[in-house]
Amino acid sequence: FMLLMTDLCRYYSHVADPAAQPLLRLGRVIGYIEQHYGESLTLDHLATIGDMSRRSLTREFNRALGCSPIEYLIRLRINHAARLIENSDSAITEIAFRVGFQDSNYFSRQFRAQMGSPPREYRILRRQSMQRG
């Protein structure tokens, strides 16, 4: 996904059309989120990165990706957490903090909503399936 966004940003950076500017700004925001997902990020900060208002950023994100910037951030964090849960013995709480969540209970709720099971159960199930296959 990031390669596609990078290519699109390169292409649109040479286009004088003002309609391309929101996509360039959106690409900057997505790139920033991808690199800094483990940090405390706010909608205000992301809007500043994209040189947009909060409303414009949210509208452009929804138009391009079908979700808000914060929803995208949460999904990204959960995906990174899932890989860490599968491939490490780190405590679930430690992983939650490492990927940017400040509350392990909130992390567990979000993880379950996205992955279909709580983090501890997910770890057990993934390790069982790895042993079988």
Side-chain angles (χ1 to χ4, degrees):
F1 177 75
M2 282 307 297
L3 292 174
L4 176 60
M5 287 304 295
T6 302
D7 287 344
L8 286 172
C9 286
R10 283 186 191 132
Y11 170 75
Y12 279 106
S13 67
H14 302 296
V15 176
D17 183 359
Q21 293 308 308
L23 184 57
L24 285 172
R25 292 177 182 143
L26 189 61
R28 277 197 309 263
V29 173
I30 291 169
Y32 188 85
I33 291 171
E34 293 278 341
Q35 292 177 354
H36 299 273
Y37 68 88
E39 299 171 17
S40 178
L41 300 177
T42 64
L43 189 56
D44 286 330
H45 183 66
L46 296 175
T48 300
I49 297 296
D51 195 26
M52 299 182 189
S53 69
R54 291 170 49 141
R55 180 176 158 86
S56 293
L57 176 61
T58 301
R59 184 177 52 247
E60 292 301 326
F61 235 90
N62 276 311
R63 187 177 298 154
L65 300 173
C67 65
S68 75
I70 300 303
E71 289 169 331
Y72 180 83
L73 174 61
I74 290 170
R75 288 180 193 165
L76 182 65
R77 287 175 171 171
I78 295 296
N79 287 333
H80 281 280
R83 283 195 295 269
L84 290 170
I85 288 169
E86 290 175 30
N87 299 312
S88 78
D89 292 324
S90 298
I92 301 298
T93 300
E94 179 185 329
I95 291 171
F97 292 144
R98 189 181 311 165
V99 299
F101 286 93
Q102 303 301 313
D103 179 339
S104 61
N105 290 324
Y106 178 70
F107 165 72
S108 292
R109 286 193 307 274
Q110 293 298 317
F111 192 95
R112 182 182 193 134
Q114 186 170 323
M115 304 305 285
S117 63
R120 285 174 184 31
E121 185 178 317
Y122 179 83
R123 176 178 271 166
I124 292 166
L125 293 172
R126 294 299 295 174
R127 289 195 174 164
Q128 287 174 350
S129 69
M130 289 171 157
Q131 289 174 351
R132 280 187 244 134

